[in-house]
Amino acid sequence: MIKPRDIRFPLDTALSADWNGSDWFRTAFFNAMSILFPYGEKSFIDSVRANEGAVTSPALKAAVRGFMAQEYVHRREHQRFNEELCASRGYSLDWLEHTIRTDSEELETIDPLFWLATTVAYEHLTATIAGCLLGRANWLDRADPGISRMWRWHAIEEIEHKSVAFDVYLAAGGTRGMLRKAMILMSFEFLVRFQARSLWYMFRRDRPPLSRTMAQAVRFLFGKPRSGRPDKPG
């Protein structure tokens, strides 16, 4: 079963600092990813709802309800996270959200089945990242405990509902060819137009030392991962 968990996390005391082990890049990586979620989660819910009429299985209908409930809470908590982050660090939330907001509005005007294909692609990417977060101790091992709990909760629920959009897509007649196209497009959107854009903005705003930041990025992205639970605060 997909179980919604209506949880609120304490965020306000840590977001003004580099909350992830005093490491600017690791902190900014997660901060930048959070910017995507409020509009992204809304688009995911709406794309599944637009194709829900194709679902006949009672089990899948129940899974869709659980998926939507989980995504609603994710959207709410990341909106809180983003607003408090930008207020405490002097970021422009309107600027950071502009691209994802515009793209989400455009997706609502395209073929509903391809819109759902983009959601399937994003759900694959987020579930992959969630698996890394839960399986690699060094991703959050020295993070603020409250923020770490929020990210682990989100990761667990992403894995729980990772197949729902895909199952609805198949029920609606989606093809592998369309899905491959969506995966290519959304990988570029996620990594370049959204994540890299936000990271660059945060770097220009915070101005951390370049050499140290590059070393942090290389360690995080390409270093040998340490397995285990990332639940020990520094």
Side-chain angles (χ1 to χ4, degrees):
M1 293 180 63
I2 297 174
K3 180 182 178 181
R5 301 167 182 85
D6 189 2
I7 306 174
R8 292 180 181 269
F9 295 90
L11 304 170
D12 55 332
T13 59
L15 290 174
S16 61
D18 292 339
W19 55 264
N20 198 349
S22 299
D23 184 304
W24 185 89
F25 185 84
R26 279 199 296 172
T27 300
F29 179 88
F30 285 98
N31 289 346
M33 190 159 52
S34 181
I35 297 296
L36 305 176
F37 289 131
Y39 282 97
E41 307 282 21
K42 179 182 183 301
S43 181
F44 301 164
I45 293 169
D46 291 346
S47 70
V48 170
R49 183 178 288 121
N51 291 273
E52 193 177 4
V55 177
T56 58
S57 162
L60 184 52
K61 287 182 178 180
V64 166
R65 290 193 296 272
F67 166 86
M68 291 180 176
Q70 286 187 341
E71 296 289 54
Y72 171 81
V73 182
H74 296 177
R75 182 187 179 198
R76 184 195 70 198
E77 288 305 290
H78 281 281
Q79 188 65 43
R80 289 182 55 234
F81 183 104
N82 295 345
E83 289 174 359
E84 294 180 17
L85 170 73
C86 291
S88 63
R89 298 190 76 129
Y91 299 159
S92 169
L93 183 57
D94 182 66
W95 192 95
L96 287 166
E97 286 183 335
H98 175 75
T99 303
I100 182 64
R101 180 172 64 242
T102 301
D103 280 25
S104 297
E105 292 168 354
E106 290 177 355
L107 285 172
E108 295 177 6
T109 68
I110 67 173
D111 171 28
L113 189 58
F114 188 72
W115 183 15
L116 181 57
T118 68
T119 293
V120 176
Y122 274 127
E123 287 292 296
H124 176 74
L125 290 168
T126 54
T128 300
I129 293 171
C132 292
L133 186 152
L134 294 171
R136 299 183 179 186
N138 52 307
W139 275 37
L140 289 171
D141 60 347
R142 293 181 292 118
D144 173 82
I147 298 177
S148 176
R149 282 195 296 272
M150 188 197 80
W151 282 103
R152 294 202 309 276
W153 154 81
H154 191 162
I156 288 167
E157 294 197 346
E158 284 298 322
I159 291 172
E160 281 183 350
H161 69 229
K162 66 180 181 179
S163 67
V164 174
F166 178 69
D167 290 341
V168 175
Y169 177 74
L170 293 181
T175 65
R176 294 284 180 168
M178 180 183 286
L179 193 55
R180 283 193 290 268
K181 180 180 178 181
M183 193 73 221
I184 293 168
L185 290 173
M186 294 307 107
S187 295
F188 176 81
E189 292 277 292
F190 176 78
L191 295 171
V192 179
R193 295 196 68 233
F194 302 148
Q195 189 73 357
R197 177 180 183 271
S198 294
L199 279 168
W200 179 241
Y201 171 91
M202 292 173 184
F203 178 81
R204 287 169 52 210
R205 181 75 189 186
D206 294 343
R207 297 189 178 278
L210 177 60
S211 59
R212 186 179 69 189
T213 301
M214 293 299 293
Q216 291 170 347
V218 169
R219 279 197 305 271
F220 179 76
L221 297 173
F222 305 109
K224 184 178 180 180
R226 287 189 290 107
S227 61
R229 291 179 57 192
D231 55 2
K232 295 183 179 179

